[in-house]
Amino acid sequence: MSEVSNIAMQNPANSKKMLLAMVGIGIISAFLIVLTYELTLPRVQRLKAEALEKAIFEVLPGTDHTQAFGLNTDGTLFKIEEGDKSEAALYAGYDKGDKLVGYAVEAAGQGYADVIRIIYGYDPSEQILIGFQVLESKETPGLGDKIGKEEAFLNNFKALDVSVSNDGQLRNKVITVKQGEKQNPWEIDGITGATISSRAIGDIIGKSSMEVIPILHQNYKNGQNKMNSDEQQ
């Protein structure tokens, strides 16, 4: 029998071994990926929770302790206790005397590169936004990521008007304008070189505040800001 014939006869067996080896490697790789994910997930979740807690205190200056809340379909708030499966949409911040400082509201929307997750602070007594932080962003380094770093941009959110009219709606929708063209207290002064990213922040806050702020304002007027904050002590 020729050498060529011998090679032809050996090929099926060799191919089967190679296939089994590749399948085995694939299974082991998949197992390692899943195992790594499962092992690191608690740490990732803990770090996200710590970052969120820090951000809440940043956007609500003067806060001593917080309480997570969800929104009922009728617009009232319900407390979310530790361990509850409900996802918190907002957080109330209280000072050392249990007086409401304001609400921290999470929101998200499409940026230039990907979805941007943010949190902003709302003072219902003054009807203004008093803080802003980027929780998650993949915007272009050196350009789009300025939305979470540039002091001039962050200063927009120290007294951004979100006042509610007598009919229970926001008087003016929050929007982003070109840098240097801000004329009204509900406008966000954009960032040159990061137009899309800074405009995205205006869109996210504009949409979120139109939906959430009137509800929070009404709850504040109804006295729900006094909701047993001492129970969490």
Side-chain angles (χ1 to χ4, degrees):
M1 187 177 290
S2 68
E3 185 178 347
V4 174
S5 298
N6 287 334
I7 294 174
M9 291 178 65
Q10 293 172 6
N11 277 343
N14 290 338
S15 297
K16 185 176 181 180
K17 288 180 180 179
M18 184 178 294
L19 179 61
L20 290 173
M22 291 176 64
V23 170
I25 292 172
I27 292 173
I28 293 172
S29 298
F31 173 76
L32 291 175
I33 291 172
V34 172
L35 181 62
T36 301
Y37 173 78
E38 292 294 333
L39 291 175
T40 58
L41 182 60
R43 181 173 182 273
V44 171
Q45 291 177 330
R46 186 181 74 252
L47 291 175
K48 281 188 175 182
E50 290 174 353
L52 174 60
E53 182 179 21
K54 181 180 178 181
I56 293 171
F57 283 87
E58 288 286 340
V59 301
L60 294 176
T63 293
D64 178 72
H65 52 278
T66 65
Q67 172 63 56
F69 285 96
L71 286 173
N72 288 311
T73 54
D74 62 357
T76 57
L77 304 180
F78 65 90
K79 288 172 60 175
I80 298 177
E81 303 295 352
E82 188 174 352
D84 289 352
K85 293 184 178 180
S86 300
E87 292 188 4
L90 52 96
Y91 307 84
Y94 301 91
D95 64 16
K96 292 182 179 180
D98 287 338
K99 180 181 178 182
L100 182 74
V101 173
Y103 296 101
V105 182
E106 288 188 78
Q110 184 62 46
Y112 175 74
D114 203 342
V115 172
I116 301 173
R117 289 182 57 243
I118 68 166
I119 188 167
Y120 59 87
Y122 166 59
D123 179 350
S125 64
E126 298 294 331
Q127 299 192 58
I128 56 174
L129 299 192
I130 55 176
F132 162 83
Q133 288 279 308
V134 176
L135 296 176
E136 187 176 334
S137 169
K138 296 179 182 177
E139 299 302 273
T140 308
L143 293 173
D145 65 347
K146 290 181 180 180
I147 56 175
K149 300 176 180 179
E150 190 166 294
E151 186 176 355
F153 184 73
L154 297 177
N155 285 339
N156 280 295
F157 309 99
K158 290 185 175 180
L160 191 67
D161 176 59
V162 285
S163 55
V164 177
S165 61
N166 292 332
D167 64 359
Q169 302 299 316
L170 223 61
R171 294 182 186 276
N172 301 284
K173 184 177 181 179
V174 173
I175 59 172
T176 300
V177 297
K178 289 184 179 180
Q179 188 173 37
E181 295 185 8
K182 176 174 179 173
Q183 296 182 346
N184 299 296
W186 60 84
E187 294 174 340
I188 299 172
D189 205 9
I191 303 174
T192 300
T195 306
I196 296 176
S197 299
S198 55
R199 187 184 300 137
I201 297 302
D203 293 341
I204 295 169
I205 294 180
K207 183 177 184 296
S208 172
S209 59
M210 290 285 284
E211 297 171 354
V212 179
I213 296 302
I215 296 174
L216 294 179
H217 178 65
Q218 188 59 47
N219 276 278
Y220 175 77
K221 286 175 61 180
N222 292 343
Q224 278 204 301
N225 55 300
K226 300 176 182 178
M227 289 177 117
N228 301 323
S229 63
D230 56 332
E231 290 182 9
Q232 62 190 307
Q233 301 291 321

